[in-house]
Amino acid sequence: MRVHPSPPEADVVTLHESVPPDAFDVERVRRDFPILARPVRGKKLVYLDSAATTQKPRQVVEAMARYFDQENANVHRGVHFLSERATEAYEGARERVRKFLNARHASEIVFVRGTTEALNLVAFTFGRLRVGVGDEVLLTAMEHHSNIVPWQMLCADRGAKLVVAPIDDRGVLLLDELEKRIGPRTKLLGVTHVSNALGTVNPLKQIVALAHARGVPVVVDGAQGAPHVPADVRDLDCDFYAFSGHKIYGPTGIGVLYGKAEHLEAMPPWQGGGDMILSVSFEKTTYNRVPYKFEAGTPNMAGAIGLGAALDWLEALPREAAWAHEDELLAYGTEALSRIRGLRLVGTAPGKAAVLSFVFEDIHPHDIGTVLDREGVAIRTGHHCAQPLMQRLGIAATARASLGIYNTRGEIDALVAGLEKVRRMFA
Ligand code: PLP
């Protein structure tokens, strides 16, 4: 089982200090990603946009192709051979995710389209059960739009209010301020595990304990957490945990909502249709058991199987060493970028993960991204779906290099060389 840092303080320490980085063979890992060997604009591709979506190892692509070539049929309702095989594969993927998150039961794993859909599901079911007129939903200032807008919609519908816990200038969540905002009207806390714009790793265990001490359930946006830090839902004791397949080396169109069994049982369904029912008449419908109650219609079987393959692939690596590799690369990148005159890193929380966000002189981030692209270096620029966070930091946008398990020091060097070109062109 993976270890989770036990954080007595707000600052999270580096997870993997004790592991020698050379235990991880990055070149071997890269061979599983044919796309990393392709040229882009006549240059070697340097892919530094994994927070947007990761590349997929060939094992994932092959698992999905195998499913379509050999096992494709609709699940759950068929008595024929292929339907049985497809159902086994789909439910096998659910069990694979259960193991990855260390959830107690496979029925606590709901397949959805991605983190966005998972968070909407919770807002529109659990949220509607809990939140009424005058109540409050507590979030943090570093949330992605998908962990803001569904709650805003819920609050508008219910006559409730969004309350926001602040961060400091480094991007560290102020836990005492968070605690002060948990009051008798707080019905729910939504928090990201890892910030996509800053890389801050929130001390979830401590946050969950604070909230639970006041009877407040916690919904975790794990889109950037699951790929980069241990996500053990029993250890965290969170009520819900959401993540996307495509950010963890799996396919698009598949994601996961983990929910504690007692919550999922109590929640109403949110979409109606096939598979989520036990019986239907024009007078009355009885719903299926969890998790099927939340999976109306034909699910994304190939996506789930691809996600299962991605988790198999990931967990077959020496995980501690892989995390150490990402940490080491982040430290290397932080150091390298800090040496560039006129460049300011945005998000400097201790123990952060996988993200190097920055502003550079007064050069527009889109210009930075465009020049880097000509060098084959793919980064993301903009507000990163975190406009309230950008407002808090007093900037419109950043340039963001984000790391995956396959990145190398050489690629950080290419980023730095590209940034020197940017300076020559604009500064
Ligand atoms: N939350 C965070 C922190 C993210 O980084 C993202 C995607 O960038 C999301 C939520 C939304 O994920 P998806 O678009 O896969 O639903």
Side-chain angles (χ1 to χ4, degrees):
M1 199 173 74
R2 286 159 290 138
V3 284
H4 196 276
S6 48
E9 296 154 15
D11 294 348
V12 182
V13 292
T14 299
L15 290 173
H16 323 299
E17 280 156 333
S18 58
V19 183
D22 60 359
F24 177 75
D25 184 350
V26 69
E27 290 307 328
R28 207 170 133 204
V29 167
R30 288 176 70 83
R31 285 200 286 277
D32 287 337
F33 295 83
I35 199 170
L36 296 178
R38 67 155 288 171
V40 164
R41 304 196 192 285
K43 302 274 166 62
K44 187 176 171 302
L45 169 67
V46 174
Y47 188 75
L48 294 172
D49 197 18
S50 290
T53 199
T54 55
Q55 299 301 344
K56 324 301 173 200
R58 61 185 167 73
Q59 289 84 344
V60 167
V61 179
E62 284 165 8
M64 294 174 76
R66 205 163 41 242
Y67 166 74
F68 282 124
D69 282 349
Q70 299 295 328
E71 295 180 327
N72 177 55
N74 211 329
V75 287
H76 296 150
R77 327 160 223 213
V79 288
H80 60 79
F81 176 83
L82 281 184
S83 180
E84 276 174 20
R85 292 300 296 268
T87 303
E88 271 167 30
Y90 180 66
E91 293 305 326
R94 195 188 309 277
E95 171 56 22
R96 187 67 193 79
V97 174
R98 183 208 66 73
K99 205 166 133 237
F100 175 73
L101 290 177
N102 193 31
R104 208 176 295 275
H105 310 291
S107 60
E108 294 176 312
I109 305 300
V110 181
F111 281 124
V112 288
R113 273 194 302 131
T115 307
T116 304
E117 187 170 69
L119 295 170
N120 275 276
L121 193 164
V122 181
F124 282 83
T125 55
F126 188 72
R128 272 165 203 263
L129 278 184
R130 280 190 70 85
V131 178
V133 178
D135 286 337
E136 295 176 356
V137 173
L138 180 57
L139 303 176
T140 83
M142 70 178 89
E143 299 308 314
H144 185 281
H145 294 165
S146 56
N147 204 23
I148 300 174
V149 183
W151 306 114
Q152 213 161 34
M153 290 161 76
L154 173 70
C155 287
D157 184 59
R158 291 291 144 137
K161 194 169 110 186
L162 274 191
V163 175
V164 181
I167 56 172
D168 71 14
D169 291 339
R170 299 170 301 167
V172 174
L173 179 62
L174 299 173
L175 283 189
D176 49 343
E177 294 294 330
L178 177 92
E179 194 171 6
K180 274 190 221 156
R181 283 163 176 75
I182 305 178
R185 310 245 50 162
T186 312
K187 289 291 150 50
L188 215 140
L189 168 61
V191 59
T192 192
H193 197 170
V194 174
S195 158
N196 65 307
L198 305 175
T200 305
V201 182
N202 282 314
L204 273 191
K205 248 181 118 159
Q206 202 180 352
I207 292 170
V208 170
L210 275 178
H212 282 181
R214 290 163 180 76
V216 175
V218 181
V219 183
V220 179
D221 171 352
Q224 303 295 341
H228 298 294
V229 292
D232 179 331
V233 293
R234 267 194 277 178
D235 185 52
L236 296 172
D237 197 29
C238 54
D239 297 272
F240 296 94
Y241 192 99
F243 72 94
S244 300
H246 72 100
K247 293 185 195 285
I248 190 161
Y249 311 103
T252 46
I254 189 78
V256 170
L257 172 68
Y258 157 81
K260 280 186 178 167
E262 75 241 40
H263 296 319
L264 294 180
E265 295 289 350
M267 281 152 56
W270 80 312
Q271 291 178 338
D275 235 24
M276 53 77 73
I277 54 91
L278 285 178
S279 72
V280 178
S281 72
F282 282 116
E283 288 71 41
K284 183 177 164 53
T285 291
T286 50
Y287 301 128
N288 208 339
R289 62 195 158 92
V290 294
Y292 309 111
K293 184 169 75 171
F294 301 106
E295 294 182 3
T298 300
N300 182 356
M301 290 87 77
I305 289 159
L307 173 57
L311 299 179
D312 279 343
W313 175 84
L314 190 60
E315 295 205 306
L317 295 172
R319 288 295 277 145
E320 294 286 331
W323 282 320
H325 168 74
E326 281 190 18
D327 282 350
E328 192 276 333
L329 212 53
L330 184 70
Y332 182 77
T334 303
E335 160 103 35
L337 293 189
S338 305
R339 273 192 263 112
I340 297 179
R341 188 167 36 85
L343 184 146
R344 180 169 66 83
L345 284 164
V346 177
T348 51
K352 57 181 263 203
V355 169
L356 293 158
S357 242
F358 56 91
V359 288
F360 189 18
E361 308 277 9
D362 56 359
I363 307 167
H364 197 289
H366 290 331
D367 290 334
I368 300 174
T370 306
V371 174
L372 288 177
D373 176 55
R374 283 193 219 133
E375 300 301 310
V377 180
I379 64 155
R380 185 143 299 241
T381 62
H383 53 62
H384 314 297
C385 295
Q387 283 182 331
L389 173 63
M390 296 293 129
Q391 282 152 20
R392 157 64 183 85
L393 298 171
I395 49 182
T398 74
R400 181 190 71 183
S402 58
L403 307 176
I405 203 163
Y406 33 60
N407 288 123
T408 64
R409 280 185 176 217
E411 291 181 312
I412 300 284
D413 296 340
L415 169 68
V416 170
L419 288 170
E420 289 304 344
K421 272 210 167 142
V422 172
R423 179 206 300 291
R424 286 199 291 279
M425 288 183 74
F426 290 98

